[in-house]
Amino acid sequence: EVMLVMEKLHDSLFTLQSCGEEGLVVQQKICYLCELWWKENMDEKECMVVQLIPLLLAKTLDERIGTKADVKRFFHLRHALQVLDFDNESSTDLKSLLLRTVSSPIYLKMNEGKRLISYLCQLSSSFPQDLYKAMRAQIPDGKKMLLEAYGEILFRAWKEESNNDNTSRVVRTKTTTCSYKTLSPINTSSDTETDTGIDDNETKDLTSIEQTVLQDLSYSLLHMESHTMKKNLSIILHPFHQGKKSPEIQQLLYHLYGPILWRSLRAANPRVRVQAAHILSIVFPLPDGLNVQKAMSKATTALINLLKDVDPRVRVAGSMAASSVLITYWDALHTNDIRTILHYIIDEHAKDTSSSAVRAGAINAISILLKEAEESHAVLRGMLPLLGNSIHDKVERVRLATVSFLQTIKTIPDIKYYHVVPVHHLLARLAEDGKKKSFVNPVTSALTKLMQNSYFPQNLSGSEQAHRTLSFLASDPMAATVFYGNLSAHISVNSVAKLTAMLLKCLTVAVNNDRQQINDNTSSNRKRRRSMQSNNSEDGLSARNTSLMANVAETICCLWKSIELDLNQPSQEPIKKLIVDAFSGMVLANIYSYFEGKASENYDEGEYEVIQDCHRICAAVLRCAGRLDPNNVEGLVQQINDKLSSSELSQNLTPHVALLCMWGKTNDIIQSLSASIVKGYTQDDDDSFYIMSSSRRSGRGRNKIENTNMPQLTPEKAMEVIETILRGSDPSSATARKQFLSSDCHTLEVALEKGVHFAERLLGSFSEQCNVTLILQACETYGRLAIHKHHHDVTTSNDNENR
């Protein structure tokens, strides 16, 4: 009687599906009862799962109501699937539901779900191929998690099948002669289609995972043209490649790749050879289980042939494959084979003039070998200096690979990177790469990281760090400037700020000491002053050493600029206050006045190098002042006024103009320069140029200075200032140019365009006396301004679109 009741309850499961909420509640209770009947192994339990399985499966696939608990319930009922006949047409709908599990996220995220899909391969002879068809539709756009799940599913399915004594498993009697045929959605190989040589009747018998799935994946991996597809297929096959030490998997790999790998290594298509090189490094030596030594010799010969390939892409792949093989089989390979491989990589590939990719690939291969194979150090130690000249390669990617290679050597205790590339070569390369548009680039940043412990060690005191910085600036100023400009990428903002403040203090102390010495000595005691100057020079920190002081001042600017964006973050407010306090007051004004006066003193003596150094220091001081509020810089405003109003304007005024621009006076400067230029075109007073005063101020609103006005310069000096701003590559010119282009420079355009009109009149019968030189300069400057303005507008438009 209980059995009859259970049968009636089970047979009503489908009917209850359309009976509303109450019917669904009753259905759920009956399902739990049927599950219990199966788990307790009751009589005729097979009759209690026919309707239960489709209902529970459909629930797990419904994203709205399906839960992980439902998947676990269905997994525990997986053996009940064996009672169903999937070859019968009535099971078509159920089979479709089972195939949907391959694309169900909840199944692929759970271990029980993946195990269930693997189990499905054992239910029917057609299931492996049907599941694979469902999988391959997801492969092209699949995420890494999904692909890894597929690899785990296939690996478990193959392992369960290989451990099963099922007689339906296909015996590999024709493995060495069988061909491979990819299924159409994956078969987008660059090679032409080939005849499989398999009869249709034979194909129907290939029902195992190896025959129906793995052979197709391995063939596609070797011949696929799409890089994304190759990557995705590699992820799926990774469990099989990773377990190659197992005898069973080793034999599987031999059967999968043996018939096609050696043929692919000699394929006409270089892309196939590249991928075959990658596969060879994974499955090396691909033994057949009988003669490992023979297989290793054959694989090594194929590897050396890849290193000699005519296509540079194949040679790069050969270098990386050889490195991978040497890491794993260093002790197993013959000494002559190792030396031959290293000869091709170090002596041939690293000096390959036909391809920078080959040179970079050789250096990367040796770097990986050094990092992963400690036993290779003894052999490579004497060969590494042969790669040292690559630091000066004309291609950046090769130089970057060389620096990365040196960073790897730095981690090896027994090998010193400066024995491979001498320090003076590294500093020369640092200085040379710093001459680019921006000295912050991948190569300079990597070199800075490489030499950081030597020139700015973090474990020393601040005074010792400052001493090393000064020594570096004195010995190699160009390399030092680039080094400290990249330093912020490798140390904290706090450390950079402290170094900036320490260098400013050194500069201030040097100026104050020198002033004190000058005050203590009268003009009649020149010998004593020369003696003191000599002593200060020996100490290494003297304001009279203008070259060092200029390097220090410019380094301060570089350090501050490198952390300027970080200082604007709310979390960096204490560090910003440290910088502002260090530069506020009379500090900058005192330094500026000292070196401005020193430059004036040396004009008569003809010390042009000293004058140039003093101007560099003054420009650096003004750039630092531009980053501060004008109210924090005492005494400097008056000095700027005096300088601009001076009758002797032989010095470059661009730094002063840039400072006023940073302080919000850009429009006033443009107005003044425009008026000065127009007045110089002709002596005719009637031909006037009216400029409206503008109340707008460009730049930061907080920078308001009421007592600094741009004076009326001579036309020649005003034109010189504009030309220097538009043409100059120094930081002051770049700053002023950016401010000019960001503001309304229509007034300046009108003034320069007026010079173009005068030039056109000169070509006619215009007889009025005019400044021809100034007019011609205006024509050239007008064109230069138009080019800069167009580039600025295009760049601004692109930036706005990206945002």
Side-chain angles (χ1 to χ4, degrees):
E1 292 181 0
V2 174
M3 186 64 191
L4 293 175
V5 172
M6 280 299 303
E7 287 181 355
K8 291 185 179 294
L9 290 175
H10 172 267
D11 294 342
S12 66
L13 284 176
F14 285 169
T15 306
L16 293 172
Q17 188 72 22
S18 58
C19 295
E21 294 184 1
E22 294 182 356
L24 293 177
V25 173
V26 175
Q27 183 190 64
Q28 187 70 15
K29 299 294 185 181
I30 296 175
C31 286
Y32 279 115
L33 186 60
C34 292
E35 285 182 59
L36 183 61
W37 193 277
W38 173 269
K39 291 178 182 180
E40 295 298 329
N41 200 21
M42 304 291 286
D43 294 338
E44 298 189 21
K45 63 178 182 177
E46 295 82 2
C47 299
M48 305 302 165
V49 294
V50 176
Q51 294 188 19
L52 171 65
I53 289 177
L55 286 175
L56 188 55
L57 176 59
K59 184 179 180 182
T60 60
L61 295 174
D62 192 336
E63 296 181 357
R64 298 171 300 171
I65 59 176
T67 63
K68 292 182 178 180
D70 294 326
V71 175
K72 291 182 179 179
R73 288 170 57 194
F74 188 64
F75 171 73
H76 292 307
L77 289 174
R78 65 188 183 280
H79 296 293
L81 294 170
Q82 294 181 351
V83 305
L84 304 177
D85 184 9
F86 288 100
D87 294 329
N88 192 299
E89 293 182 359
S90 61
S91 302
T92 302
D93 293 337
L94 176 60
K95 190 174 182 180
S96 298
L97 287 176
L98 290 172
L99 294 177
R100 284 177 54 190
T101 58
V102 173
S103 58
S104 174
I106 193 171
Y107 274 88
L108 298 177
K109 290 179 181 179
M110 296 182 60
N111 187 47
E112 290 84 358
K114 290 180 283 188
R115 290 177 62 186
L116 175 66
I117 299 174
S118 299
Y119 178 78
L120 296 179
C121 295
Q122 304 178 24
L123 296 179
S124 171
S125 60
S126 61
F127 248 114
Q129 187 169 357
D130 292 337
L131 286 172
Y132 179 50
K133 288 180 180 179
M135 285 183 182
R136 65 181 184 179
Q138 308 292 328
I139 292 176
D141 300 321
K143 295 182 179 180
K144 185 177 180 181
M145 183 275 296
L146 179 139
L147 300 173
E148 289 177 344
Y150 285 170
E152 183 179 343
I153 289 169
L154 293 176
F155 183 75
R156 180 180 283 113
W158 171 82
K159 197 171 182 180
E160 290 176 354
E161 185 183 43
S162 63
N163 293 332
N164 191 357
D165 292 333
N166 194 339
T167 57
S168 65
R169 177 174 175 82
V170 177
V171 180
R172 304 185 186 95
T173 59
K174 299 183 180 181
T175 303
T176 57
T177 59
C178 73
S179 300
Y180 294 75
K181 181 178 181 180
T182 55
L183 297 170
S184 54
I186 291 186
N187 189 16
T188 56
S189 168
S190 56
D191 284 356
T192 57
E193 294 184 2
T194 57
D195 184 15
T196 61
I198 299 179
D199 186 80
D200 292 340
N201 294 328
E202 293 181 8
T203 306
K204 295 178 182 179
D205 295 332
L206 303 179
T207 57
S208 68
I209 297 294
E210 178 184 340
Q211 298 286 355
T212 58
V213 180
L214 299 183
Q215 284 185 352
D216 182 61
L217 289 174
S218 60
Y219 182 89
S220 299
L221 179 60
L222 279 169
H223 297 82
M224 191 64 59
E225 185 175 6
S226 169
H227 176 73
T228 303
M229 280 296 296
K230 289 178 182 178
K231 181 180 177 180
N232 292 351
L233 292 173
S234 296
I235 295 175
I236 294 176
L237 290 172
H238 178 70
F240 298 93
H241 295 158
Q242 189 180 33
K244 70 173 184 176
K245 293 183 179 181
S246 168
E248 294 81 7
I249 299 179
Q250 195 174 79
Q251 186 180 15
L252 170 67
L253 294 177
Y254 175 76
H255 289 297
L256 290 178
Y257 292 110
I260 57 175
L261 178 60
W262 311 115
R263 201 163 58 238
S264 299
L265 289 169
R266 299 187 301 271
N269 191 332
R271 294 182 180 178
V272 176
R273 300 202 300 274
V274 168
Q275 189 62 14
H278 173 66
I279 297 300
L280 178 62
S281 66
I282 295 176
V283 302
F284 186 95
L286 200 63
D288 58 359
L290 299 176
N291 195 334
V292 177
Q293 200 63 34
K294 182 179 178 182
M296 186 167 292
S297 177
K298 181 180 180 181
T300 304
T301 302
L303 198 61
I304 295 174
N305 289 334
L306 290 171
L307 297 174
K308 297 186 292 185
D309 198 278
V310 295
D311 193 284
R313 293 170 293 180
V314 180
R315 295 200 296 275
V316 173
S319 292
M320 301 308 296
S323 175
S324 177
V325 169
L326 289 176
I327 290 171
T328 308
Y329 297 96
W330 182 275
D331 295 329
L333 291 173
H334 195 276
T335 305
N336 292 336
D337 292 335
I338 294 176
R339 293 192 177 277
T340 301
I341 292 173
L342 294 178
H343 162 73
Y344 277 105
I345 296 177
I346 297 177
D347 293 337
E348 301 290 338
H349 288 193
K351 301 174 183 177
D352 192 324
T353 58
S354 64
S355 174
S356 61
V358 175
R359 299 195 298 273
I363 296 171
N364 290 332
I366 296 300
S367 181
I368 295 172
L369 181 60
L370 283 170
K371 185 185 298 184
E372 302 294 337
E374 186 177 351
E375 56 273 17
S376 67
H377 296 174
V379 175
L380 289 174
R381 183 181 289 107
M383 306 175 72
L384 296 180
L386 298 175
L387 301 173
N389 287 334
S390 298
I391 194 69
H392 299 300
D393 196 280
K394 63 181 180 180
V395 180
E396 182 179 297
R397 66 184 295 187
V398 181
R399 299 197 300 272
L400 190 60
T402 306
V403 179
S404 178
F405 161 67
L406 295 176
Q407 289 174 344
T408 300
I409 294 177
K410 188 179 179 181
T411 62
I412 301 174
D414 298 335
I415 307 176
K416 306 299 181 184
Y417 72 88
Y418 45 79
H419 291 162
V420 178
V421 180
V423 174
H424 65 277
H425 280 267
L426 295 174
L427 295 178
R429 174 44 52 192
L430 185 62
E432 186 65 26
D433 272 306
K435 293 179 181 178
K436 296 183 178 180
K437 185 177 180 180
S438 173
F439 55 66
V440 179
N441 55 69
V443 175
T444 56
S445 179
L447 284 170
T448 299
K449 182 180 180 181
L450 177 67
M451 298 184 288
Q452 178 187 335
N453 292 340
S454 299
Y455 295 105
F456 194 76
Q458 292 286 281
N459 56 349
L460 297 182
S461 62
S463 59
E464 180 61 28
Q465 289 176 341
H467 176 72
R468 292 202 182 193
T469 301
L470 294 173
S471 299
F472 192 13
L473 289 169
S475 61
D476 198 333
M478 294 183 64
T481 301
V482 179
F483 176 86
Y484 291 107
N486 287 271
L487 190 60
S488 62
H490 308 289
I491 62 175
S492 65
V493 177
N494 187 31
S495 298
V496 176
K498 289 181 178 179
L499 177 61
T500 306
M502 283 190 295
L503 291 179
L504 178 65
K505 186 175 181 180
C506 292
L507 190 59
T508 304
V509 169
V511 170
N512 292 339
N513 290 342
D514 197 56
R515 277 181 168 168
Q516 184 66 34
Q517 292 167 6
I518 294 175
N519 294 333
D520 292 343
N521 294 278
T522 61
S523 58
S524 60
N525 201 359
R526 296 181 182 275
K527 291 184 178 180
R528 183 180 175 189
R529 291 174 62 186
R530 292 194 187 97
S531 176
M532 295 183 67
Q533 179 178 350
S534 176
N535 291 335
N536 286 331
S537 298
E538 291 176 0
D539 293 338
L541 187 61
S542 171
R544 293 186 177 88
N545 187 353
T546 55
S547 177
L548 177 59
M549 295 297 103
N551 295 330
V552 172
E554 291 179 343
T555 301
I556 291 172
C557 285
C558 290
L559 290 170
W560 194 348
K561 181 181 179 180
S562 66
I563 61 172
E564 188 173 13
L565 294 178
D566 295 321
L567 292 177
N568 293 329
Q569 301 295 327
S571 59
Q572 305 293 345
E573 192 63 31
I575 302 176
K576 184 177 181 180
K577 186 176 183 302
L578 170 68
I579 290 287
V580 172
D581 292 344
F583 284 82
S584 297
M586 294 292 296
V587 176
L588 296 180
N590 290 336
I591 298 174
Y592 177 84
S593 63
Y594 174 83
F595 288 103
E596 184 67 28
K598 194 172 186 64
S600 301
E601 292 175 1
N602 286 273
Y603 272 118
D604 297 334
E605 300 178 6
E607 296 289 342
Y608 298 112
E609 291 185 1
V610 175
I611 296 171
Q612 185 179 7
D613 291 337
C614 292
H615 289 170
R616 289 169 55 198
I617 297 170
C618 292
V621 169
L622 295 179
R623 292 201 300 274
C624 291
R627 293 186 171 92
L628 297 170
D629 191 286
N631 298 323
N632 291 335
V633 186
E634 300 177 11
L636 189 60
V637 174
Q638 185 59 41
Q639 294 186 50
I640 298 299
N641 280 336
D642 295 342
K643 182 64 180 178
L644 295 176
S645 303
S646 175
S647 59
E648 298 180 0
L649 293 174
S650 58
Q651 181 183 346
N652 179 19
L653 295 181
T654 305
H656 306 78
V657 173
L659 172 62
L660 294 179
C661 289
M662 295 176 74
W663 279 351
K665 305 288 286 186
T666 304
N667 288 338
D668 289 343
I669 293 171
I670 292 177
Q671 298 273 347
S672 177
L673 294 175
S674 301
S676 298
I677 292 172
V678 172
K679 287 183 179 180
Y681 289 144
T682 178
Q683 296 179 356
D684 187 1
D685 294 336
D686 294 335
D687 196 4
S688 61
F689 181 75
Y690 178 73
I691 302 175
M692 296 181 61
S693 62
S694 175
S695 60
R696 290 183 298 174
R697 296 292 183 265
S698 64
R700 293 166 288 185
R702 63 179 181 82
N703 294 337
K704 297 180 179 180
I705 44 178
E706 304 295 340
N707 299 324
T708 301
N709 296 310
M710 186 71 181
Q712 201 77 16
L713 303 177
T714 63
E716 291 75 13
K717 191 63 184 179
M719 183 63 72
E720 179 186 338
V721 169
I722 296 175
E723 284 184 333
T724 304
I725 290 174
L726 294 178
R727 184 183 300 174
S729 59
D730 58 286
S732 297
S733 297
T735 300
R737 182 167 59 245
K738 182 179 179 180
Q739 294 290 338
F740 272 32
L741 297 174
S742 300
S743 64
D744 185 7
C745 57
H746 177 70
T747 304
L748 183 59
E749 287 184 278
V750 172
L752 295 173
E753 189 177 14
K754 194 173 183 66
V756 177
H757 295 324
F758 271 109
E760 293 174 351
R761 293 166 65 182
L762 285 174
L763 295 176
S765 59
F766 185 64
S767 60
E768 184 179 351
Q769 186 178 1
C770 59
N771 191 337
V772 178
T773 303
L774 185 67
I775 290 173
L776 295 178
Q777 288 178 329
C779 294
E780 179 183 352
T781 307
Y782 178 74
R784 196 180 299 275
L785 176 62
I787 294 173
H788 280 295
K789 192 171 186 300
H790 175 73
H791 177 266
H792 178 267
D793 293 341
V794 171
T795 304
T796 303
S797 176
N798 292 336
D799 292 342
N800 292 335
E801 290 178 359
N802 293 333
R803 291 175 185 174

